[in-house]
Structures are given as structure tokens and as C-alpha cells.
Amino acid sequence: MNIIIIGFMGVGKSVVGDKLARILNMQFIDMDTEIEKREKCTIPEIFKNKGQDYFRDAEKKLIKELVEKDNFVVSTGGGIVTQSENCKILKEQKHVVFLDADVNTIIEHVCNEMEKRPLLKESKNLQEKVNELMIERYNDYKESSNIMIDVNNKNINEVVSQILVYIREYMIL
């Protein structure tokens, strides 16, 4: 069994995924970190030097590889749903969790790490840009997931607990 966590940048996919993996005694992989390791450079550097399309192809290759493995909690990048092939792969999985947050929560979480966010870094109006990207992606997040968790005004433990309840009550491990 794998659990895949999707959602917009800054919703807590990595910290929630890491904690969930430790509780369930599963391996954790953050796709963005794994791509950076494989490419030997940061995501902003990949975007700058090789382009967003190159990054999205690396992301697609990695998600295909990871769904073939077992006993993983996977934290995807926020843009995983921008590729229709990735959405198809996600829809075929049994345990895909969408961490949902409103624009204000996202801005609060990403405003201190803008240099890590190539799609937001150059934006003159952060709220407008986040809202625009959310509108583009929101339905794909919903359609690609089996469970949706509202993370607004919740801490990591509350979010992880909700995921655990869902997995234990509604899905066979």
C-alpha cells in the first residue's frame, strides 16, 4: 500500500507525509526533494536552467516509478496535477489524499520561502497568483484524490489524525 499526498504548495504535504510515514512505519519520499537529488540542483535552478517542462517530465517519470513500489508515503509537488497523465496515474491509486487550504492559509505558509517557489517568486501580487493557480488546479486535485482534508486552522497532528481515521475506518490497509 502507498499513500500519496497532493495539494497546492505550502499546504503541508511534506511535513504531514513525513509524520504519517513514521506513524505507519512506511518509507517517506518527498518528490521535490528526490528530483533535486537526482538532478543535483534545486527546483528553482531546474526551472531557470532547464525550464518548467523539463521539471514536469522529471515529475511524471518519478510518479510512474513510485506507484510501482510498495509501503511508501509520497508527498508530491504542488503542480503534479498540471499534467493529465499524472492525474490519470493518481486516479488509479487507492490512497490519494488532497490537503486543501484557502488562499490566505497558503500565502501565510509560503510568504517566507518565496525563493523556493519559482512560480510565485516573480509575482507582483502574490494573492492574485496563488488564486489563479488554485483555480487552474483545484478540480484536478479533487478528481485525482480519494480523500480531501481541509487544513485551514489545523496543526500537523490534527491533519495526520484525520488521514489515519480515514485510512483505518474506510480503507483496508
Side-chain angles (χ1 to χ4, degrees):
M1 174 189 80
N2 291 325
I3 300 168
I4 302 172
I5 302 175
I6 65 173
F8 201 78
M9 61 184 94
V11 297
K13 297 180 300 290
S14 298
V15 292
V16 167
D18 183 48
K19 183 158 190 155
L20 188 63
R22 283 187 275 121
I23 290 169
L24 294 172
N25 197 28
M26 297 172 74
Q27 296 178 64
F28 173 68
I29 189 157
D30 180 288
M31 286 184 57
D32 286 348
T33 302
E34 183 64 21
I35 290 169
E36 286 180 336
K37 277 188 218 168
R38 291 178 180 199
E39 295 293 324
K40 297 178 178 67
C41 60
T42 67
I43 290 171
E45 291 169 338
I46 296 168
F47 269 67
K48 182 180 175 191
N49 299 328
K50 297 180 179 180
Q52 184 176 179
D53 289 344
Y54 181 90
F55 175 77
R56 296 296 174 211
D57 286 343
E59 199 172 46
K60 187 183 337 177
K61 180 180 174 188
L62 182 56
I63 192 69
K64 285 179 181 179
E65 180 184 318
L66 292 174
V67 297
E68 296 300 318
K69 296 180 185 256
D70 192 36
N71 204 41
F72 276 86
V73 174
V74 177
S75 168
T76 66
I80 191 82
V81 297
T82 62
Q83 301 273 324
S84 60
E85 192 173 345
N86 293 344
C87 291
K88 183 177 184 275
I89 291 167
L90 291 169
K91 287 175 190 177
E92 293 170 352
Q93 306 311 304
K94 291 182 181 176
H95 309 288
V96 180
V97 179
F98 168 29
L99 300 185
D100 185 22
D102 63 31
V103 172
N104 291 331
T105 299
I106 292 165
I107 290 171
E108 184 181 312
H109 291 180
V110 300
C111 67
N112 292 325
E113 49 183 37
M114 295 295 287
E115 71 283 349
K116 295 182 190 176
R117 313 286 182 179
L119 293 178
L120 300 180
K121 189 166 62 171
E122 304 300 322
S123 177
K124 289 183 170 75
N125 185 326
L126 183 58
Q127 185 162 1
E128 226 173 71
K129 186 63 176 178
V130 169
N131 196 46
E132 172 192 318
L133 290 170
M134 276 295 287
I135 289 168
E136 288 174 11
R137 299 174 180 182
Y138 195 79
N139 284 335
D140 291 323
Y141 288 136
K142 281 178 62 175
E143 292 173 11
S144 299
S145 61
N146 312 96
I147 179 175
M148 189 164 95
I149 305 283
D150 179 344
V151 300
N152 295 304
N153 302 310
K154 291 182 183 151
N155 65 40
I156 295 163
N157 292 331
E158 291 170 313
V159 174
V160 169
S161 292
Q162 279 191 277
I163 295 169
L164 289 170
V165 165
Y166 179 80
I167 288 170
R168 289 184 175 138
E169 288 186 9
Y170 301 105
M171 297 181 162
I172 298 170
L173 285 175

